Amino acid sequence: MKILVGIKRVVDYAVKVRVSKGTVDLANVKQSMNPFCEIAVEEAVRLKESKNASEVVALSIGPKQCTETIRTALAMGCDRGIHIQTDLRTDYMDLQPFAIAQLFQKIVEKEKSDLVLLGKQGIDSDCGQTGPMLAGMMGWPQVTFAAKVEVKDGGLLVERETDSGTETIQVKSLPAVVTCDLRLNEPRYATLPNIMKAKKKPVETLKAEEMGVDLVPHNQVLEILEPPPRKEGIMVENVDSLIDKLRNEAQVI
Amino acid sequence: MTFQSVVLKAARARCFSSHLQLARATSSCRCSLSTSASDDLATRHAVAPLHAPVTALTEDESMIRDVARQWANDGLRPVVRKMDREGSLDPDILSSLFAQGFMGMEIPPEHGGSGLSFTSACLVVEEISRVDPSVAILVDIHNTLTNNAIRFWGSESLRNTWLPRLATDTVSSFCLSEAESGSDAFALKTTAIPTSSSEYVLNGTKLWISNAAQAGVFLVFANANPAAGYKGITAFMVDAKTEGISVGPPESKLGLRASSTCPITFDDVKVTTDDILGQVGMGYKYCINILNEGRIGIACQQIGIAKGCLDIVMPYLKERQQFGRAIADFQGVQFQVAMAATELHAAEVMTYNACRLKEANLPFVKEASMAKLYSSKVSEKVASLTIELLGGIGFTQDLLAEKFYRDCKVGSIYEGTSNMQLQTIAKLLFADFK
Ligand SMILES: Cc1cc2nc3c(=O)[nH]c(=O)nc-3n(C[C@H](O)[C@H](O)[C@H](O)COP(=O)(O)OP(=O)(O)OC[C@H]3O[C@@H](n4cnc5c(N)ncnc54)[C@H](O)[C@@H]3O)c2cc1C
Ligand SMILES: Cc1cc2nc3c(=O)[nH]c(=O)nc-3n(C[C@H](O)[C@H](O)[C@H](O)COP(=O)(O)OP(=O)(O)OC[C@H]3O[C@@H](n4cnc5c(N)ncnc54)[C@H](O)[C@@H]3O)c2cc1C
């Protein structure tokens, strides 16, 4: 089984983003691998370690610095990297999931991947669309929000968490697209020797503009706003007054 | 118009959130794809600077620092207080240090190490110190003193025997100091008397030996020819299991309480010529050389402490309200942290520059002494100020500030006291003006 993992470079989860001039300010902001993509990488590497996968290729689309993101994935255990380079923003401002999914499609076709593992969403734009769009374009089965993945009878048994409980889905055969949720696994840290070894693993660089894909966004971002500041809370005297306020003022119980 | 704001509870105690609200419309309007911001970036990149700033990290350095930072925060931080209270190192932390590759940082990959640069190794020491300086000292001594001494002067057989173990499962100690030889290190009394053409017998007691409780191997400095004075000093790699070695109980210390500091007695301990590091009688030279660069690691430990203090106090200043406003709003507070940050920056620039001088094979000994001297003063000052600015809570064990205050003090004692640094600086300074 050949696995392709998508790794998106996003503003680090710990960074408090600044909005300026109608967009998220990316200047001098720490960026790192999208946490859901880390989970996808971990799952792919585990599938390789359990001999279910023969090769894991990591694909990142974005600026020059994506090579660092790719190196992290290689240090975690991926075999090769592919970097589709572009100076267009990938946080929905320029490149949008429709174009990203098409770029993925090109690579999937070239690499003859059997399984595409992606994060369930990027923590920058929170779209969660790339996986489903890619599956649609390929005409492949898809499972989103995977919380457990098991290789079974040439296909996959995938558990996904839904609001009403755990849903178990059997993907009868590969190829397929799976997007990874938070509880799927706990990603390993890249160790120092592996960070150094990752430097020697091959990374292919392509240009987004030369992939034969229309990169023009179809949706326009009108405005980006900071979340409104939380209103100050109040102290209640005792439990009775709390219940009273919840019942009569907030009307939630 | 749709609003998305997803807040997730994360594994690894992370909190991911997309602090964003995207307001979208589904028109197919075209956006301008090249923004002026990216044009700016392109022009800025076009001019390559002649010299990289000393604080600008290479890709390797920044990746390694990030990994160390993440490990220290996620893996180490939860047990720091417990280890300090119990005065011992958590064995899981030790195995994690090996698993992450922190114990063989500069050891080449063919010997099971990570093959990092000296600067990268120092950055790891700094990041670990930012969370727990007592774990940082273990990593620092093991990597910058023992591992490197073996890499530099060890015979092929010593390197083949010990480097793979040092990188993967064996802690080491650097055994120089004794009761009567601290600053005057080469007055050491431990002897290594030859008993045959291939055997020596060690006798004596070492004091203040870091990592001794965990160590599987000791790098011991002993005099093989006391009549020759310091020119008899010879270094031996001694397996901790060798008969005649007894490690005493750890000292009860002001700080670095999770790091073991023990006396070690050598009572007729048999070693062979194969255990000798480099040449007989060259121990003093190796010792001077390795401590000259090793103290840059101590400077990094001290910088880590000062940064760890700012990590605690800076958010607190914005949160803590007195007189109806955040204490960060008072100029008296602002100026104090501004001064602290300035001195910390100076210490950092000095230390990173010492790292880079060493890596560039340029003279660095004076600069390393200056960096260690100054950063140990700065860490003490910043730790003290941190406690003051935290007010009463800074004085308690609810926060790690009081621990940093205790841990930093030894920075002006080990690997050469502040006076010894001044002596080195003065000597080299006068030599410059000869
Ligand atoms: C926590 C800890 C860990 C340690 N780990 C190790 C280890 O792993 N391995 C090891 O070998 N050692 C270790 N040491 C020992 C350390 O290196 C010594 O404590 C240090 O070298 C100082 O020696 P001393 O304690 O004998 O002090 P002394 O040398 O007695 O110094 C006392 C004071 O006199 C001053 N002084 C001495 N001579 C002069 C002079 N000529 N001019 C001006 N002032 C002078 C000193 O600056 C100092 O202020 C450790 C010590 C501590 C506290
Ligand atoms: C061991 C101990 C024993 C104690 N015993 C007692 C006791 O018996 N009885 C009792 O009543 N209290 C006691 N205290 C409390 C003590 O008096 C307070 O900790 C002290 O007044 C400081 O207040 P705080 O801790 O709230 O710090 P804060 O007032 O929050 O001060 C934090 C920092 O902000 C600075 N700051 C605050 N306002 C300004 C400003 N306007 N301009 C510039 N800087 C400012 C302060 O100087 C300080 O550095 C004790 C505290 C300790 C630690």
Side-chain angles (χ1 to χ4, degrees), chain B residues 8-72:
Chain B
L8 303 149
K9 191 166 162 286
R12 279 196 191 174
R14 285 176 174 186
C15 179
F16 313 143
S17 79
S18 63
H19 328 262
L20 273 190
Q21 297 187 356
L22 278 181
R24 298 191 203 112
T26 45
S27 81
S28 60
C29 268
R30 294 183 171 216
C31 292
S32 150
L33 292 184
S34 88
T35 63
S36 59
S38 65
D39 291 346
D40 282 358
L41 212 62
T43 21
R44 264 192 274 137
H45 277 246
V47 190
L50 286 176
H51 291 285
V54 286
T55 51
L57 304 184
T58 65
E59 184 185 311
D60 278 9
E61 288 165 356
S62 74
M63 281 192 82
I64 284 152
R65 185 201 50 189
D66 288 354
V67 166
R69 182 174 294 175
Q70 199 181 23
W71 177 84

Side-chain angles (χ1 to χ4, degrees), chain A residues 71 126 182 187 192 199 218, chain B residues 4 9 12 18 27 60:
Chain A
R71 190 163 157 200
D126 285 330
L182 209 60
L192 300 188
K199 272 169 95 163
H218 294 275
Chain B
Q4 291 197 8
K9 191 166 162 286
R12 279 196 191 174
S18 63
S27 81
D60 278 9

Side-chain angles (χ1 to χ4, degrees), chain B residues 405-416:
Chain B
Y405 186 62
R406 291 185 282 112
D407 287 347
C408 70
K409 187 66 241 188
V410 73
S412 45
I413 299 172
Y414 58 18
E415 297 202 26

Side-chain angles (χ1 to χ4, degrees), chain A residues 232-248:
Chain A
E232 210 176 317
I234 53 158
M235 296 296 284
V236 291
E237 295 284 301
N238 49 38
V239 176
D240 285 341
S241 66
L242 173 67
I243 291 173
D244 175 62
K245 286 200 186 305
L246 289 175
R247 182 167 293 143
N248 299 319

Side-chain angles (χ1 to χ4, degrees), chain B residues 316 320 322-323 327 330 332-333 388-393 395:
Chain B
Y316 184 84
R320 173 70 173 167
Q322 288 290 279
F323 305 101
I327 54 177
F330 297 118
V333 169
E388 271 180 53
L389 291 179
L390 292 167
I393 193 156
F395 193 68

Side-chain angles (χ1 to χ4, degrees), chain B residues 174 176-177 182-183 208-210 253 261 410 413-414 417 419-420:
Chain B
F174 183 85
L176 176 67
S177 304
S183 299
W208 315 113
I209 305 307
S210 298
K253 308 191 295 295
T261 315
V410 73
I413 299 172
Y414 58 18
T417 63
N419 279 355
M420 292 301 105

